[in-house]
Amino acid sequence: MEGAGLYLHCPFCSFVCPYCDFAVRRLGDRDLGGFVATILREAELRADWPEAIDSIYLGGGTPSLLPPAELERLLGGLRARLPIVPGAVLHLEANPEDVDDEALGAWRDLGVRFLSLGVQSLDDRALRFLGRRHDARGARQAIARAVAAGFEVVSVDLIFGLPDQDRARWLADIEAATPPGVDHLSCYQLTVKPGTLFSRRVELGRLAEIGDEEQGRFFAFTHEVLEARGFEAYEVSNFARRPDARSRHNRKYWRQVPYLGLGPAAHSFTGRERFWNEAEEGAWTAAIQADRLPEAGRERLEDLDLAQEALLLGLRCPEGVDLARLESRWSFRPSARALARLETFVTAGLLEHEGTRIKPSRRGLAVADSIAADLAC
Amino acid sequence: MDQIRNFCIIAHIDHGKSTLADRIIQACGAVSDRDFRDQILDSMDIERERGITIKSNTITLDYEARDGRKYRLNLIDTPGHVDFSHEVRRSLMSCEGALVVVDAAQGVEAQTVANLYIALEYNLEMIPVINKIDLPAADPERVREEIDADLGLDPFTAVLCSAKKGIGIDDVLEAIVRLPAPRGDPEAPLRALIFDAHYDPYRGVILYCRIMEGRVHTRQKVHFMYTDAEYQVEELGFVRLKPEKREQLEAGDVGYIVCGIKTIRDIHIGDTMTWAEKGASAPLPGYKEAKPVVFSSLYPMSRDDYEDLARALEKLAINDAALTYEKDTSAALGFGFRCGFLGLLHLDVVQERLSREFDQSLLLTAPSVLYKLTLNDGSELDVDNPSYFPDPSTIREIREPYIRAAIIIPEEFLGQVMELCREHRADETVFGYLSVGRIEVKSELPLGEVLFDYYDKLKNVTRGYGSFDYEIIDYRPSDIVKVDILVNREKVDALAQLVHRDKARPRALRYCERLAESIPRQQFKIPIQGAIGGTIIARSTINAFRKDVTAKCYGGDITRKRKLLEKQKAGKKKMKTVGSVDIPQEAFLAVLRNDADKKK
């Protein structure tokens, strides 16, 4: 049986990107040892987590800022406090500027099997626009070194849909990001989030998001190009060159497998309940130091909620959703209106039926949110 | 009887009828200044706001004239719009005289002329009243000329006043005294004209009547000659600001009668009341049933509100005998009511009352007239609802109602107005000068043409100076087709309409374009089509949106995604689903709103 996931949020970056709305802050001269100690204390408070954990994901933020010694202490401490199975997959997010042979060696020795590089682009102009600290050359070197270091999976994160990014430049990014040995790719479309520097720029009229038509074209182009290069889109934004290169951890989110989140703003899911931590590092730390769970909220999901989530999450993946399962598990049946809508989606080539399963086509994936919302209500 | 005067006031909207009525009531001391509420006769808010009077009210006043005698003045209020001309008739029949109010600045308008013609039919004595003489733009001399030329009244009998400023009100009252006293034999069998009625939750129907001949007293059994029903009089009296109970009413009197009638539908306005025993042999002449000529289906915005709408209509119909309604259903809009109205204003008044007094938001389908069909097998069929329009191959002939429109305009707009009439399929348009620079255009055109943007255009081309009035004259053969609107190849029944073949394409195109603008884009391309039978005559397209999926669903934060569902659920409530396409209420409104011009 599939185990649960463990997500750990490291809320520090050496520099906060202007498009990022995650719970992050500048590291400054902060002592990461203190952060690790607090995380371990939180893990103690969560020692009653019932499910065996078979994947650990170190995300952020920039977890690659953690010195190898702190990382070792962190992982050892987590294993001592939580039911982590021996063969658990360890994912690590790393920024290219933190990637050198020494760090790579240390990470591999610590058991990192899946390394995600926050490259975002391999075009200097785009990197400057995105406010990244590395340049294209550095990114290429980081990719090459990571591949050479012999991780099970090396993954690259890219962002597309930048202003005045044409297809040629985007194609060049994809090509540079996927040399042999890079078997996983996450391609996120640039989204301007409220409260970010980019959203301020939009307000001031200095930045314009591309329209949905253009977004749709970029989305389709991305999927076509990657398919031609041997990548399978196993989720809206995630591509794997071989089935065992898929992210075991991230798939848990889309398939409603339980996961525990540690660190500021981390979310957890038990299969029936969701709870989430204080987003501010200070509030999170204070709660834990006072021996309190650092939860900011918690909710219980009814059968209907779970079924609706299953649609929202399941339609992000090409295997789609089995309606029979929704009915047997949560007594959920789409409304008459939703069924009529479903047939229209099938006719329009957005969904396809496979027995009781509905599967989004590539065009369907691009509008999966509204399709799911239509079918869920 | 010598000291009774029964009179009404005829005026164009905004020429100051209600204000003049108020001043007359005030001058007769029927209400103390402190209690005075402007425009007391317009008891409903909506009338106050629109400046028109929908239900005629009446009031009895005492006036001591300059000759030292005391008179009893019965002021009978008349509605001021062509839709309500049957009500005007009943009111006029109850009077011996009328004040014809003309705005000192605006002059004579079409409606004044129309009502004057009706008044002439009943041999009413008329006194011209030139109101608003205080206005800087007032030109009483020019208006006198118009009174002479357009109305054919003696301009030298005209009374000058300003109801607003209270100038000349005594002169108006003295002029009323000079009107003829009622005649009618008090010893003859009773003949009373029912000219108005309203429903009182405690007393049932309250009738307003003018006793033409004979007498009636409490506890007497009475017979209604048209409905052939008998009742016993429970109470009667004069209508003052509060009812004044009496034992008896007699020839010449105007008053109220309560006789145990349960609903307004049990009586016919215009009916003649006589004694149950030894009653009159013939009813009063001139009875005409008020028949709806404009039809539209009303649907509640939310399907859950159907019951409320049903109750609201029922309540409204208690005091509006002219309103007809029956259940209607639409695949797109659910349950609603097919309603019949006396005209567009009536439709508008009903809609506003429903929304205001009963807190109802409504969708109204395109107004339709009643078409008369002869089928191939020789049978006749009346159709006012596109849903019941038969297969065109079974129809031998279709006839539609025609009106004679009277439009009064300054002469510089003649060309545009003639063109407007032509565009609206006028059969015959003639014009004549009423006075220097003022023209009356008479045009025979289909009533159905007036329902669709005609008033707006008239107002536009005449820059607001045109006035309009109409009467239905006859039915004429016409080439009417049913236009269907299809969204994603599914018919939207509520948007179907009956229209002349020549107008079908532009009308359909307009619907298609408005829908395309107001239906949000969806995940797939949606064709919007207008069709006659299987032939597409108009088309527009709503393109699909291409991308909406959030890029990152990361770190397990699902709560944000669920907001999507909440938004979707909230949005759904405001949508009507046709086939598998959600059409927002605003789209129906955008399409249907401007069809009926309601600003007249």
Side-chain angles (χ1 to χ4, degrees):
Chain A
M1 189 187 147
E2 183 171 3
L6 171 64
Y7 174 76
L8 193 144
H9 186 73
C10 174
F12 307 109
C13 287
S14 51
F15 182 84
V16 178
C17 299
Y19 53 86
C20 180
D21 74 332
F22 287 149
V24 291
R25 58 191 305 169
R26 284 189 79 149
L27 177 63
D29 50 9
R30 199 174 303 266
D31 165 27
L32 283 171
F35 170 71
V36 170
T38 314
I39 283 276
L40 292 178
R41 183 79 196 91
E42 186 186 9
E44 250 160 56
L45 295 172
R46 292 289 180 196
D48 60 349
W49 176 262
E51 320 247 358
I53 291 167
D54 67 4
S55 79
I56 304 170
Y57 192 106
L58 304 180
T62 314
S64 56
L65 287 175
L66 289 167
E70 292 296 349
L71 256 184
E72 188 175 2
R73 186 159 75 92
L74 175 68
L75 290 168
L78 289 175
R79 288 201 172 92
R81 289 163 176 81
L82 292 167
I84 296 169
V85 302
V89 178
L90 179 58
H91 295 238
L92 175 71
E93 285 184 344
N95 267 353
E97 61 265 35
D98 299 330
V99 174
D100 55 36
D101 288 338
E102 189 188 338
L104 286 167
W107 294 337
R108 207 190 41 223
D109 293 347
L110 284 168
V112 172
R113 288 161 62 185
F114 193 113
L115 185 69
S116 257
L117 298 173
V119 167
Q120 317 311 355
S121 175
L122 289 136
D123 177 312
D124 281 333
R125 206 146 49 114
L127 286 168
R128 274 195 302 277
F129 168 78
L130 291 169
R132 299 296 296 193
R133 302 276 97 177
H134 60 273
D135 60 9
R137 197 172 142 267
R140 265 191 292 271
Q141 280 174 357
I143 292 170
R145 283 190 182 123
V147 168
F151 293 95
E152 260 177 46
V153 181
V154 173
S155 174
V156 172
D157 285 5
L158 293 179
I159 295 181
F160 69 97
L162 310 179
D164 66 59
Q165 179 184 43
D166 57 19
R167 285 177 200 210
R169 284 171 65 195
W170 173 227
L171 181 60
D173 261 8
I174 291 175
E175 283 174 347
T178 53
V182 173
D183 289 341
H184 189 276
L185 200 60
S186 298
C187 296
Y188 299 113
Q189 180 184 307
L190 177 69
T191 315
V192 176
K193 301 284 178 129
T196 60
L197 199 61
F198 271 19
S199 96
R200 180 83 187 122
R201 283 195 212 162
V202 169
E203 279 164 32
L204 294 172
R206 293 212 294 262
L207 176 65
E209 277 184 288
I210 57 174
D212 70 273
E213 294 240 347
E214 189 58 17
Q215 288 182 21
R217 277 193 283 271
F218 256 105
F219 184 86
F221 178 74
T222 305
H223 282 247
E224 280 159 26
V225 165
L226 283 166
E227 188 181 63
R229 296 178 71 82
F231 283 87
E232 178 215 7
Y234 69 98
E235 195 255 358
V236 166
S237 306
N238 286 285
F239 304 82
R241 189 119 60 175
R242 47 190 164 87
D244 60 359
R246 297 175 185 173
S247 163
R248 187 200 285 189
H249 183 86
N250 283 344
R251 292 186 75 217
K252 295 186 197 296
Y253 301 140
W254 309 318
R255 288 158 57 245
Q256 291 171 297
V257 176
Y259 47 84
L260 173 65
L262 300 179
H267 282 245
S268 305
F269 173 59
T270 66
R272 220 5 128 172
E273 280 186 307
R274 293 193 182 283
F275 50 88
W276 50 93
N277 281 350
E278 294 284 359
E280 285 299 319
E281 188 218 346
W284 170 79
T285 307
I288 293 168
Q289 283 175 352
D291 270 343
R292 276 189 292 111
L293 287 175
E295 280 176 30
R298 177 181 273 268
E299 65 182 0
R300 187 187 150 76
L301 301 177
E302 302 306 325
D303 283 358
L304 177 64
D305 300 320
L306 287 165
Q308 289 180 329
E309 283 190 4
L311 281 164
L312 270 175
L313 298 165
L315 289 172
R316 296 181 66 83
C317 304
E319 64 262 33
V321 177
D322 185 355
L323 293 177
R325 184 171 158 270
L326 297 195
E327 186 169 354
S328 63
R329 193 155 169 205
W330 295 303
S331 315
F332 175 85
R333 274 192 215 185
S335 66
R337 189 199 145 279
L339 287 173
R341 197 89 180 149
L342 172 59
E343 286 319 308
T344 311
F345 292 143
V346 170
T347 312
L350 298 167
L351 290 182
E352 92 186 47
H353 261 304
E354 201 181 273
T356 55
R357 187 168 277 280
I358 47 169
K359 301 165 72 167
S361 67
R362 181 174 294 161
R363 278 199 300 126
L365 273 185
V367 289
D369 280 358
S370 61
I371 287 181
D374 268 330
L375 299 182
C377 299
Chain B
M1 211 190 305
D2 284 354
Q3 272 132 288
I4 298 176
R5 296 293 182 269
N6 296 320
F7 72 104
C8 60
I9 306 177
I10 295 173
H12 182 79
I13 294 168
D14 294 337
H15 280 198
K17 184 173 74 175
S18 299
T19 317
L20 181 61
D22 293 346
R23 288 291 171 266
I24 290 171
I25 294 167
Q26 217 174 6
C28 294
V31 54
S32 75
D33 285 353
R34 199 168 57 87
D35 294 341
F36 193 77
R37 218 164 44 119
D38 270 352
Q39 303 189 359
I40 245 160
L41 290 186
D42 288 356
S43 56
M44 282 174 275
D45 285 353
I46 186 169
E47 294 174 18
R48 189 173 302 276
E49 194 166 289
R50 299 176 64 95
I52 57 164
T53 308
I54 293 141
K55 274 283 170 197
S56 51
N57 286 294
T58 189
I59 189 162
T60 297
L61 304 164
D62 294 320
Y63 175 64
E64 191 174 335
R66 286 175 196 155
D67 62 12
R69 298 171 66 182
K70 284 187 177 170
Y71 290 87
R72 197 160 75 227
L73 310 183
N74 293 312
L75 164 57
I76 292 157
D77 198 24
T78 53
H81 190 274
V82 65
D83 280 0
F84 302 97
S85 68
H86 70 292
E87 297 193 356
V88 176
R89 283 172 190 274
R90 287 157 357 207
S91 301
L92 294 179
M93 277 172 71
S94 312
C95 305
E96 279 73 42
L99 305 179
V100 181
V101 182
V102 181
D103 186 302
Q106 302 281 322
V108 175
E109 308 254 9
Q111 198 179 40
T112 321
V113 181
N115 283 341
L116 188 89
Y117 286 148
I118 303 174
L120 285 171
E121 281 176 40
Y122 296 100
N123 287 320
L124 261 56
E125 187 84 17
M126 274 170 283
I127 305 165
V129 175
I130 302 178
N131 189 23
K132 305 196 188 180
I133 55 164
D134 59 307
L135 290 181
D139 187 355
E141 286 319 302
R142 180 179 57 86
V143 174
R144 265 188 218 272
E145 282 167 28
E146 288 178 9
I147 286 169
D148 187 12
D150 304 348
L151 301 179
L153 299 179
D154 181 355
F156 300 104
T157 61
V159 183
L160 273 61
C161 77
S162 163
K164 197 173 158 201
K165 294 275 163 74
I167 303 164
I169 303 302
D170 286 351
D171 295 338
V172 174
L173 283 163
E174 288 299 316
I176 293 166
V177 169
R178 288 196 297 274
L179 288 170
R183 279 171 307 192
D185 182 0
E187 308 306 327
L190 171 70
R191 287 209 294 178
L193 173 70
I194 309 302
F195 65 82
D196 199 1
H198 84 258
Y199 176 79
D200 179 286
Y202 301 103
R203 304 302 309 271
V205 175
I206 316 266
L207 301 172
Y208 298 91
C209 65
R210 158 74 196 273
I211 314 293
M212 307 305 282
E213 291 171 335
R215 298 188 169 89
V216 59
H217 57 77
T218 47
R219 293 172 304 280
Q220 192 166 25
K221 279 198 170 152
V222 288
H223 175 236
F224 289 82
M225 300 183 81
Y226 186 83
T227 54
D228 196 25
E230 276 188 23
Y231 296 94
Q232 184 167 13
V233 176
E234 292 168 8
E235 183 185 323
L236 51 74
F238 292 154
V239 189
R240 303 209 184 255
L241 282 179
K242 283 178 188 155
E244 179 188 313
K245 266 194 217 177
R246 321 258 319 169
E247 272 306 300
Q248 157 174 304
L249 294 173
E250 64 173 34
D253 284 344
V254 168
Y256 71 92
I257 294 179
V258 180
C259 56
I261 301 176
K262 296 276 187 301
T263 82
I264 209 104
R265 302 212 172 233
D266 295 337
I267 51 129
H268 283 268
I269 303 297
D271 203 347
T272 301
M273 183 177 81
T274 187
W275 298 325
E277 281 165 40
K278 295 180 188 170
S281 53
L284 296 160
Y287 174 80
K288 224 172 144 184
E289 199 181 350
K291 278 201 180 130
V293 296
V294 173
F295 303 85
S296 169
S297 296
L298 274 61
Y299 292 95
M301 281 288 197
S302 157
R303 280 173 198 238
D304 306 341
D305 290 340
Y306 172 77
E307 294 299 326
D308 286 345
L309 175 62
R311 270 191 296 275
L313 269 171
E314 192 184 339
K315 219 167 146 191
L316 197 63
I318 281 174
N319 271 317
D320 188 346
L323 170 68
T324 64
Y325 66 101
E326 57 187 35
K327 212 169 178 176
D328 198 3
T329 59
S330 149
L333 302 178
F335 288 117
F337 291 95
R338 188 72 181 172
C339 297
F341 308 93
L342 298 172
L344 277 177
L345 177 81
H346 188 210
L347 180 156
D348 193 29
V349 164
V350 168
Q351 185 191 5
E352 276 195 50
R353 275 202 197 150
L354 285 173
S355 62
R356 194 179 302 198
E357 296 170 25
F358 303 101
D359 197 23
Q360 288 279 337
S361 300
L362 297 171
L363 282 172
L364 274 80
T365 62
S368 171
V369 298
L370 181 91
Y371 296 97
K372 290 189 179 294
L373 278 59
T374 306
L375 304 182
N376 289 335
D377 63 6
S379 60
E380 302 280 326
L381 182 66
D382 288 352
V383 175
D384 66 61
N385 187 341
S387 306
Y388 301 125
F389 196 72
D391 178 347
S393 67
T394 66
I395 303 171
R396 186 189 299 161
E397 188 190 57
I398 305 174
R399 295 175 305 283
E400 64 172 324
Y402 268 66
I403 58 167
R404 183 178 295 116
I407 304 152
I408 296 181
I409 46 163
E411 68 181 335
E412 66 258 39
F413 303 122
L414 180 62
Q416 290 102 302
V417 170
M418 296 289 278
E419 176 61 20
L420 182 66
C421 292
R422 199 193 55 73
E423 274 172 20
H424 285 78
R425 300 194 285 123
D427 265 5
E428 199 189 326
T429 306
V430 295
F431 65 91
Y433 279 86
L434 286 174
S435 60
V436 178
R438 281 162 47 82
I439 285 176
E440 184 183 45
V441 177
K442 288 203 179 232
S443 182
E444 293 179 6
L445 62 156
L447 174 61
E449 285 290 319
V450 178
L451 302 185
F452 199 77
D453 73 13
Y454 182 85
Y455 290 138
D456 263 349
K457 284 190 184 163
L458 179 68
K459 229 185 297 169
N460 269 335
V461 302
T462 63
R463 284 188 244 131
Y465 284 104
S467 66
F468 175 89
D469 222 314
Y470 72 85
E471 58 176 331
I472 292 182
I473 43 176
D474 53 16
Y475 268 78
R476 298 180 187 176
S478 185
D479 188 6
I480 299 296
V481 293
K482 178 180 174 182
V483 173
D484 286 309
I485 301 295
L486 294 84
V487 173
N488 206 28
R489 297 183 183 83
E490 297 253 7
K491 282 182 190 170
V492 186
D493 55 1
L495 297 180
Q497 52 185 322
L498 301 175
V499 57
H500 190 268
R501 190 178 298 275
D502 293 349
K503 296 295 177 75
R505 188 187 301 271
R507 188 80 60 88
L509 192 60
R510 185 158 145 179
Y511 269 43
C512 289
E513 284 170 353
R514 287 203 189 148
L515 281 174
E517 283 163 19
S518 45
I519 297 177
R521 290 186 304 153
Q522 320 220 347
Q523 298 95 332
F524 43 89
K525 194 184 260 190
I526 303 169
I528 303 200
Q529 297 158 309
I532 301 174
T535 311
I536 304 298
I537 55 167
R539 183 188 170 98
S540 63
T541 304
I542 302 170
N543 283 320
F545 61 75
R546 296 304 174 129
K547 184 146 184 302
D548 71 351
V549 70
T550 42
K552 272 200 189 186
C553 185
Y554 177 79
D557 181 359
I558 312 299
T559 51
R560 287 191 210 178
K561 297 218 70 181
R562 277 223 309 278
K563 292 212 174 88
L564 211 81
L565 289 176
E566 277 147 34
K567 226 168 101 187
Q568 174 85 357
K569 254 184 256 168
K572 281 278 132 48
K573 285 197 179 147
K574 296 181 193 145
M575 300 274 198
K576 303 285 185 189
T577 306
V578 173
S580 62
V581 176
D582 297 321
I583 304 181
Q585 280 156 0
E586 300 83 67
F588 282 99
L589 283 178
V591 174
L592 296 172
R593 181 183 283 139
N594 293 349
D595 284 352
D597 179 288
K598 295 145 187 173
K599 283 135 204 136
K600 173 73 178 151

